[in-house]
Amino acid sequence: ASQLATAQVTWADLRQYGVGWWLKNPTLLRQLVERVAKCAFQQRNDPLDAALFYLAMRKKGVLWGLFKTVKDVRMTEFFKNDFAEAKWQTAALKNAFVLLGKQRFEHAAGFFLLAGRLRDAIEVCIRSLRDLQLALVIVRLYESDFDKLAGYVKSILFVEVLGYDLLPNNNDNNNSETTSGVKKSDSFGQLSDQPNPNNVSQDPFLRSMSYWYVKDYRQALNTLYDIDIGIKKSSSGGKQQRHSID
């Protein structure tokens, strides 16, 4: 990681190294993402290409400065506003949905963060960009509350890797636990009691890392021996493996 921190890197580089999975040091993660953001901007001289990363780090002022540098008056004026106000949050949301419609998914995720909609940004990363690592990194950068951070990460791992379903909220059942011992209230939605075999990742290493994160160490080991599990890759172009490190 120290070598990465001193080089010019892109997000594709970090994803290839699996940084979203193993890098837990918040200071080093921020240093790396700062470099990714600078590189993203320099490639096309477009501040929007760096927006997701700067906004995940809550550095709207840096983004405003970049728009000012490239003399984009309209965006400079827009980013001058206080997005804690409902009026400007709504404006950011409208931009996010417009960008979604144009399939500019990374830019859309950035505007969801600008509007304070972390969950929507996560959904874009996972559903549209199909980048689980990016979702994990964005959460770690954006959410400063440790309990909320842990809840978001657990929810992502339980649903996207371990195959649990999100259920409608039921306040009377919030203190129950899944079979792996995570409280349902730890997540941003109710989790099913059992995983759905059709939704479990076929990659045993992703499953193992996910179980390790939620401190189910026995299952982190056992799942490495489960080779006939999860979504299978079809040679005829059927369902693909859900996620891989690269």
Side-chain angles (χ1 to χ4, degrees):
S2 59
Q3 291 179 335
L4 283 174
T6 58
Q8 187 178 48
V9 292
T10 65
W11 168 246
D13 295 326
L14 296 192
R15 185 174 57 231
Q16 181 179 5
Y17 284 110
V19 165
W21 288 103
W22 57 262
L23 184 57
K24 302 297 192 298
N25 184 311
T27 301
L28 185 52
L29 181 61
R30 283 182 171 273
Q31 289 174 355
L32 283 173
V33 174
E34 283 266 15
R35 292 180 177 275
V36 168
K38 289 176 183 177
C39 183
F41 166 67
Q42 291 168 355
Q43 284 180 343
R44 297 195 311 160
N45 212 38
D46 185 351
L48 275 182
D49 292 342
L52 176 58
F53 303 110
Y54 281 124
L55 292 171
M57 294 184 286
R58 298 180 181 268
K59 293 190 173 185
K60 179 177 73 74
V62 175
L63 203 54
W64 171 82
L66 291 179
F67 281 116
K68 190 173 182 180
T69 298
V70 299
K71 296 180 172 54
D72 188 330
V73 177
R74 185 177 66 87
M75 294 301 282
T76 300
E77 289 299 311
F78 182 75
F79 273 86
K80 252 177 35 176
N81 295 301
D82 181 1
F83 289 90
E85 296 180 9
K87 170 185 176 182
W88 295 111
Q89 287 180 352
T90 300
L93 268 180
K94 287 180 179 178
N95 278 280
F97 285 115
V98 168
L99 291 165
L100 273 181
K102 295 180 178 180
Q103 297 191 341
R104 291 166 57 183
F105 300 124
E106 192 172 301
H107 295 168
F111 272 88
F112 277 124
L113 291 183
L114 187 62
R117 300 282 286 265
L118 176 58
R119 279 194 63 178
D120 292 310
I122 292 171
E123 285 291 310
V124 172
C125 290
I126 293 174
R127 307 289 170 229
S128 301
L129 293 171
R130 302 195 64 78
D131 194 334
L132 182 59
Q133 283 194 66
L134 182 59
L136 292 171
V137 166
I138 294 305
V139 169
R140 289 191 178 110
L141 292 171
Y142 185 86
E143 184 54 72
S144 57
D145 183 292
F146 180 80
D147 290 334
K148 289 182 179 179
L149 168 61
Y152 273 117
V153 173
K154 284 180 181 179
S155 291
I156 292 170
L157 297 180
F158 268 84
V159 173
E160 301 303 324
V161 179
L162 302 179
Y164 285 78
D165 293 318
L166 277 177
L167 305 175
N169 283 324
N170 181 354
N171 293 330
D172 294 334
N173 200 30
N174 268 349
N175 291 323
S176 59
E177 297 183 350
T178 67
T179 53
S180 289
V182 63
K183 289 184 179 179
K184 291 183 177 183
S185 56
D186 285 343
S187 64
F188 53 66
Q190 287 277 62
L191 292 172
S192 57
D193 293 321
Q194 299 285 342
N196 181 342
N198 295 321
N199 292 335
V200 179
S201 170
Q202 193 182 28
D203 189 325
F205 298 103
L206 295 193
R207 297 196 309 267
S208 180
M209 287 187 289
S210 299
Y211 280 122
W212 189 272
Y213 182 89
V214 299
K215 296 182 171 55
D216 189 345
Y217 303 120
R218 182 185 296 274
Q219 191 60 20
L221 175 62
N222 290 340
T223 196
L224 292 172
Y225 297 98
D226 293 331
I227 58 174
D228 189 21
I229 189 173
I231 297 175
K232 298 186 177 182
K233 188 173 181 179
S234 168
S235 59
S236 61
K239 285 186 178 180
Q240 301 294 306
Q241 178 177 326
R242 297 188 74 175
H243 302 289
S244 63
I245 287 182
D246 58 0

